[in-house]
């Protein structure tokens, strides 16, 4: 007899989820987790963004969703807040930045900016929240990586290096925290229609090339990242850890979009 209730295996009722980075994809993820029953704490450097996401989650059932302005590069403030939010069951990390430049054109300051937010802040955020998950013997951490953790293009080198680095942290955390019942996974989006990619979509040729690179032949919508995150957060993924779920429309599965002649 299975101990898993199939009728509720995707539900998150009674669980506290923290989403770090609540603009764009993060806002959709927060809404998706709340729809599955979780109580949300929305964290963002911009307090207004965090509050806007909290307002979107208004719940007639009385769940007390919260918003907190926090700079994840401020280690002391981050750890202090993690100490206040003690009963965290789900931690989702979405905050990232990119500077599109060829590697030889990068400045040291730009390198530090990308590595600082994408890699070091991810490291510190898990260090802040995971210990209490370990103490309780359960928890799910989901980090957003990228197709750039696997494949690269000119101008994306430092960003790609940080996302590959995050995935190696995910694998290591899964090994180190797994015995305590804490699962750590990643979701790797492909090209998604967000304000951060507006520059690409404004260039018709560039935007079309990205759309045609995937097997589905289009860009993703932010809400299409939500299902994978909710699954990894839930009991439905109770034996999944150390994995990177590609939500990329087949980008990393296909070798270009040209269909050669057959016969």
């Amino acid at each position: 007899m299975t101990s898993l209730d199939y009728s509720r295996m995707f539900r998150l009722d009674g669980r506290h989820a923290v989403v770090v980075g609540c603009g764009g994809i993060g806002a959709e993820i927060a809404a998706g987790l709340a729809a599955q029953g979780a109580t949300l704490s929305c964290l963002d450097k911009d307090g207004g963004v965090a509050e806007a996401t909290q307002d979107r989650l208004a719940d007639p059932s009385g769940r007390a969703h919260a918003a907190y302005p926090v700079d994840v590069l401020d280690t002391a403030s981050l750890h202090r807040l993690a100490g206040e939010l003690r009963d965290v069951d789900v931690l989702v990390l979405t905050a990232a930045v990119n500077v599109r430049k060829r590697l030889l054109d990068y400045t040291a300051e730009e390198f530090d900016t990308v590595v600082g937010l994408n890699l070091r802040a991810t490291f510190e955020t898990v260090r802040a929240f995971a210990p209490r998950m370990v103490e309780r013997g359960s928890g799910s951490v989901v980090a957003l990586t990228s197709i750039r953790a696997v494949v690269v293009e000119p101008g994306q080198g430092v960003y790609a290096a940080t996302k590959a680095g995050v995935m190696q942290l995910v694998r290591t955390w899964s090994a180190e925290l797994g015995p305590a019942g804490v699962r750590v996974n990643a979701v790797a989006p492909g090209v998604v229609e967000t304000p951060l990619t507006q520059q690409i979509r404004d260039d018709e040729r560039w935007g079309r090339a990205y759309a045609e690179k995937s097997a589905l032949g289009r860009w993703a919508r932010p809400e299409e990242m939500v299902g994978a995150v909710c699954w990894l957060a839930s009991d439905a993924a109770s034996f999944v850890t150390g994995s990177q779920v590609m939500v990329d429309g087949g980008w990393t599965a296909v070798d270009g979009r040209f269909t050669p002649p057959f016969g």
Side-chain angles (χ1 to χ4, degrees):
M1 175 70 76
T2 180
S3 60
L4 189 60
D5 182 350
Y6 294 144
S7 68
R8 300 188 60 78
M9 62 193 296
F10 293 97
R11 294 292 302 174
L12 298 169
D13 301 281
R15 301 185 195 183
H16 179 193
V18 170
V19 175
V20 180
C22 289
I25 295 172
E28 299 302 326
I29 289 171
L33 293 168
Q36 294 303 316
T39 299
L40 269 293
S41 289
C42 306
L43 279 55
D44 200 280
K45 183 178 181 180
D46 185 332
V49 170
E51 290 172 3
T53 300
Q54 176 195 14
D55 291 343
R56 177 179 173 183
L57 307 179
D59 187 351
S61 69
R63 278 176 294 164
H65 303 300
Y68 301 91
V70 63
D71 183 350
V72 290
L73 294 173
D74 183 343
T75 302
S77 296
L78 178 64
H79 281 260
R80 185 166 52 251
L81 179 59
E84 297 171 2
L85 302 177
R86 295 193 60 84
D87 297 322
V88 176
D89 302 290
V90 178
L91 174 65
V92 182
L93 309 166
T94 79
V97 66
N98 190 12
V99 176
R100 291 179 177 275
K101 279 189 176 181
R102 293 178 183 271
L103 291 175
L104 294 182
D105 296 329
Y106 246 82
T107 67
E109 292 77 12
E110 289 166 339
F111 181 91
D112 289 343
T113 293
V114 177
V115 173
L117 182 58
N118 296 4
L119 192 57
R120 184 172 71 82
T122 296
F123 171 73
E124 288 293 349
T125 304
V126 176
R127 275 168 32 93
F129 284 94
R132 291 174 182 82
M133 292 182 175
V134 170
E135 290 173 5
R136 297 199 317 274
S138 66
S140 175
V141 178
V142 183
L144 263 65
T145 53
S146 168
I147 54 173
R148 297 300 170 212
V150 180
V151 293
V152 300
E153 68 177 12
Q156 296 266 50
V158 178
Y159 180 82
T162 62
K163 291 301 186 177
V166 168
M167 190 56 218
Q168 290 300 79
L169 288 177
V170 164
R171 292 187 175 108
T172 305
W173 279 319
S174 72
E176 295 179 352
L177 305 184
V182 179
R183 298 182 296 106
V184 187
N185 292 286
V187 168
V191 292
V192 186
E193 294 176 347
T194 70
L196 292 179
T197 59
Q198 189 63 50
Q199 172 195 8
I200 300 172
R201 288 178 287 123
D202 284 344
D203 184 314
E204 182 180 355
R205 187 177 65 168
W206 195 2
R208 184 174 64 254
Y210 270 26
E212 292 175 351
K213 176 64 178 71
S214 74
L216 297 181
R218 63 176 177 83
W219 285 64
R221 302 182 302 276
E223 60 267 27
E224 291 180 298
M225 303 301 112
V226 174
V229 175
C230 288
W231 168 60
L232 290 172
S234 75
D235 291 342
S238 59
F239 202 61
V240 181
T241 195
S243 293
Q244 181 168 233
V245 180
M246 309 305 296
V247 188
D248 65 352
W251 182 297
T252 53
V254 301
D255 183 19
R257 293 301 301 144
F258 174 71
T259 302
F262 296 97

